[in-house]
Amino acid sequence: MFLIFGTTLRDRILVVVRFVCEYCRTDASQDVVESATKVSLFFIPLFTVSRRYFVVCSNCGGATALTKEQATNGIEWAARNRQVT
């Protein structure tokens, strides 16, 4: 019997917000990202082992870790402050 299994890291951008980066001190767009580690069998993802959240600056690439609550608040804030052009 031959089994192929392993883990896969998947990044997903949840929302893009705009504020001053703590690294480069520039007002730039920031990506709120969810990074999930998934276990797969025969290249099919079965279940998620862990999730991490972080914000990445589009100007300098600096990343800051977030809690799940902070990421959720960022999504809610972006939905409330969305401007229609």
Side-chain angles (χ1 to χ4, degrees):
M1 178 166 238
F2 185 66
L3 290 175
I4 299 174
F5 67 94
T7 60
T8 306
L9 184 64
R10 305 264 179 170
D11 289 341
R12 181 174 65 140
I13 297 176
L14 300 176
V15 70
V16 177
V17 294
R18 186 170 188 87
F19 60 89
V20 177
C21 174
E22 70 179 65
Y23 296 108
C24 64
R25 305 287 187 232
T26 305
D27 184 23
S29 59
Q30 313 283 323
D31 298 333
V32 178
V33 179
E34 174 190 57
S35 180
T37 304
K38 299 183 181 225
V39 173
S40 58
L41 179 65
F42 293 108
F43 307 106
I44 300 171
L46 297 177
F47 57 91
T48 302
V49 177
S50 69
R51 293 181 198 265
R52 295 182 317 139
Y53 300 92
F54 51 94
V55 62
V56 179
C57 177
S58 63
N59 185 46
C60 69
T64 304
L66 298 175
T67 63
K68 183 177 182 178
E69 292 78 25
Q70 289 172 324
T72 304
N73 287 338
I75 294 168
E76 292 170 356
W77 180 87
R80 280 193 313 268
N81 294 311
R82 182 159 298 164
Q83 298 178 0
V84 177
T85 57

